[in-house]
């Protein structure tokens, strides 16, 4: 038995995709404009992670966010970003539950991890730029 509303399920997937893509872009731009890439690299180092990962993480978040937002292989972008969220959840685990805790809690990255998995499972929804959508309409 299917409990997903067939009239609005794809619209829900679209809203999820738009929100998730916007979140990734905003987090990337936060690293660029507020923390700066050197500042983010220093923070990574302070957490015991390699500083050289600052650029790859920034680019993954920005490009992945754009792909998710537009629906251009958005599900794949969410899948590629899952490890970033796993590491973010692990990094913030000692800070407590709420993300407003000192150092940021782990509930926000965990929620985004679950939202990303839901996006992977549901798909991109309406108005996605995935080539598959264009191929099916011909």
């Amino acid at each position: 038995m299917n409990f997903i509303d067939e009239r609005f399920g794809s619209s829900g997937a679209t809203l999820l995709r738009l929100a998730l893509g916007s979140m990734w872009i905003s987090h990337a731009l936060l690293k660029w404009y507020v923390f700066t890439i050197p500042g983010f690299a220093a923070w990574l180092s302070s957490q015991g992670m390699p500083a050289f990962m600052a650029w790859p993480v920034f680019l993954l978040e920005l490009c992945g966010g754009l792909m998710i937002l537009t629906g251009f292989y958005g599900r794949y972008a969410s899948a590629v970003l899952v490890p970033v969220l796993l590491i973010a959840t692990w990094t913030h685990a000692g800070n407590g539950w709420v993300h407003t805790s000192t150092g940021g809690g782990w509930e926000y990255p965990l929620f985004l991890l679950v939202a990303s998995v839901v996006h992977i499972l549901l798909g991109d929804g309406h108005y996605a730029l995935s080539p598959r959508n264009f191929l099916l309409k011909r």
Side-chain angles (χ1 to χ4, degrees), residues 58-77:
F58 165 73
L59 291 171
L60 271 172
E61 290 182 359
L62 183 62
C63 295
L66 288 168
M67 290 174 71
I68 292 167
L69 185 69
T70 61
F72 186 74
Y73 295 103
R75 297 168 90 174
Y76 298 106

Side-chain angles (χ1 to χ4, degrees), residues 24 60 76-90 113 116:
W24 278 114
L60 271 172
Y76 298 106
S78 278
V80 168
L81 287 163
V82 162
V84 174
L85 289 168
L86 286 169
I87 293 168
T89 304
W90 171 78
L113 174 65
S116 295

Side-chain angles (χ1 to χ4, degrees), residues 20-34:
L20 195 58
S22 298
M23 186 284 310
W24 278 114
I25 294 167
S26 69
H27 272 254
L29 295 178
L30 180 70
K31 288 171 179 65
W32 181 262
Y33 288 111
V34 178

Side-chain angles (χ1 to χ4, degrees), residues 23 46 54-55 57 66 79-81 106 112:
M23 186 284 310
S46 76
W55 273 104
V57 168
L66 288 168
V80 168
L81 287 163
W106 54 273
L112 294 173

